[in-house]
């Protein structure tokens, strides 16, 4: 919370301007292209990160597929994860989020601008609709981020179980799956510190449909988790 307050204080002159454009675009997203909306969100994101004294160290950007229509699967450490990944992206990215976040002021407008999709984890029927919707949008060239752990880890750089159901959209879309290793992202908002911080974002080699088409979703989940764990162990031996 301290770092969030610091982000706002360091951007006081920009806040009215940023909120104005956020509200304008989120109220009528159909009037703007996804690229325009994402560029505006990324500008706000960049200012927040700089003001919050966080440095994002990106690796493996060349691993992102050249064509749109893929899904990123990062480990989940906290609310800062999306900020870190978005700053590294050169093309629009949407997110699948839990419905509890969909109505939070400011976040609601951000998610509207990037075309995020809310998931009710207690509603199986709605969950299937989301899976199909994401798959269809990915086929049409949209890029998505899905947290396969379902909820953030409370154990630093250590991962929780990756849920097989999170990979059903990728299976149906037959799209590239890109594992993403986040390191120290939890320190941004969960430690109560505003000291300078470096967060690492590692985009790993994509897993193409031909490689996973004969796997079960649980097997693909295990592969993605193992690759992320290996990268974290390599980049941060103390993890």
């Amino acid at each position: 919370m301290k770092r969030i307050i610091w982000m706002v204080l360091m951007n006081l002159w920009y806040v009215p301007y940023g909120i104005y454009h956020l509200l304008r675009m989120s109220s009528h997203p159909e009037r703007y292209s996804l690229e325009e909306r994402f560029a505006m969100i990324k500008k706000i994101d960049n200012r927040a990160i700089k003001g919050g004294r966080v440095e994002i160290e990106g690796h493996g950007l060349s691993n992102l597929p050249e064509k749109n229509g893929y899904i990123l699967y990062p480990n989940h450490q906290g609310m800062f994860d999306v900020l870190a990944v978005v700053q590294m992206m050169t093309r629009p990215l949407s997110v699948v989020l839990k419905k509890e976040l969909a109505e939070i002021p400011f976040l609601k407008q951000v998610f509207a601008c990037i075309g995020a999709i809310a998931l009710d984890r207690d509603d199986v029927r709605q969950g299937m609709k989301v899976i199909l919707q994401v798959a269809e949008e990915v086929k049409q060239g949209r890029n998505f981020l899905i947290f396969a752990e379902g909820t953030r880890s409370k154990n630093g750089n250590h991962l929780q179980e990756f849920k097989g159901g999170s990979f059903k959209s990728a299976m149906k879309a037959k799209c590239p799956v890109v594992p993403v290793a986040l390191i120290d992202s939890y320190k941004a908002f969960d430690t109560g510190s505003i000291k300078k911080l470096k967060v690492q974002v590692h985009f790993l080699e994509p897993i193409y449909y031909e490689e996973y088409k004969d796997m079960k979703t649980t097997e693909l989940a295990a592969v993605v988790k193992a690759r992320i764990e290996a990268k974290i162990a390599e980049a941060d031996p103390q993890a």
Side-chain angles (χ1 to χ4, degrees):
M1 181 59 72
K2 287 183 180 180
R3 196 178 299 272
I4 294 175
I5 294 173
W6 190 258
M7 286 177 173
V8 174
L9 291 176
M10 291 298 101
N11 287 285
L12 275 180
W13 66 273
Y14 179 77
V15 169
Y17 174 86
I19 290 179
Y20 167 75
H21 285 282
L22 178 63
L23 293 175
R24 179 168 59 89
M25 287 193 173
S26 62
S27 297
H28 299 282
E30 73 283 353
R31 296 180 182 175
Y32 308 90
S33 69
L34 180 59
E35 287 74 17
E36 289 174 319
R37 287 180 272 132
F38 187 77
M40 185 270 298
I41 293 300
K42 187 169 179 178
K43 186 174 182 179
I44 293 175
D45 181 49
N46 289 342
R47 289 190 174 278
I49 289 173
K50 184 177 180 180
R53 309 182 76 198
V54 183
E55 175 188 352
I56 310 298
E57 186 178 89
H59 302 269
L61 283 167
S62 61
N63 285 326
L64 291 175
E66 294 183 3
K67 295 182 179 180
N68 287 331
Y70 56 82
I71 301 179
L72 304 180
Y73 285 94
N75 53 311
H76 194 12
Q77 298 192 351
M79 290 181 62
F80 190 79
D81 299 347
V82 175
L83 278 71
V85 175
V86 164
Q87 192 187 56
M88 292 293 100
M89 300 300 294
T90 58
R91 287 174 283 175
L93 179 71
S94 297
V95 182
V96 175
L97 64 143
K98 57 185 180 180
K99 71 168 187 176
E100 291 83 357
L101 298 176
E103 296 301 321
I104 297 177
F106 183 77
L107 292 182
K108 177 180 180 179
Q109 285 73 34
V110 170
F111 292 140
C113 283
I114 64 175
I117 299 175
L119 172 66
D120 185 348
R121 293 178 292 183
D122 297 323
D123 187 333
V124 176
R125 181 174 296 181
Q126 191 266 354
M128 181 54 66
K129 288 182 179 179
V130 169
I131 289 171
L132 296 175
Q133 181 181 351
V134 172
E136 188 58 35
E137 293 196 19
V138 171
K139 287 179 183 178
Q140 294 174 9
R142 294 281 298 279
N143 304 319
F144 274 85
L145 181 154
I146 297 177
F147 291 113
E149 290 165 284
T151 186
R152 68 183 179 88
S153 170
K154 296 182 180 180
N155 194 19
N157 292 319
H158 297 278
L159 277 59
Q160 303 177 96
E161 176 189 0
F162 273 40
K163 296 175 173 58
S166 302
F167 293 85
K168 288 182 178 180
S169 291
M171 289 278 196
K172 291 184 179 296
K174 300 181 180 180
C175 70
V177 166
V178 183
V180 183
L182 298 176
I183 299 176
D184 290 342
S185 181
Y186 72 97
K187 293 181 179 179
F189 293 154
D190 294 349
T191 61
S193 171
I194 58 172
K195 292 182 179 179
K196 288 184 178 180
L197 169 67
K198 179 182 293 184
V199 173
Q200 297 180 47
V201 181
H202 296 262
F203 297 97
L204 309 186
E205 290 187 10
I207 307 172
Y208 291 94
Y209 180 66
E210 289 301 314
E211 299 175 63
Y212 68 75
K213 65 179 181 180
D214 295 323
M215 295 183 187
K216 296 178 181 178
T217 55
T218 52
E219 293 173 330
L220 178 56
V223 169
V224 171
K225 179 185 177 184
R227 293 189 183 185
I228 293 174
E229 286 181 324
K231 174 53 68 173
I232 291 176
E234 173 191 327
D236 184 15
Q238 297 181 348

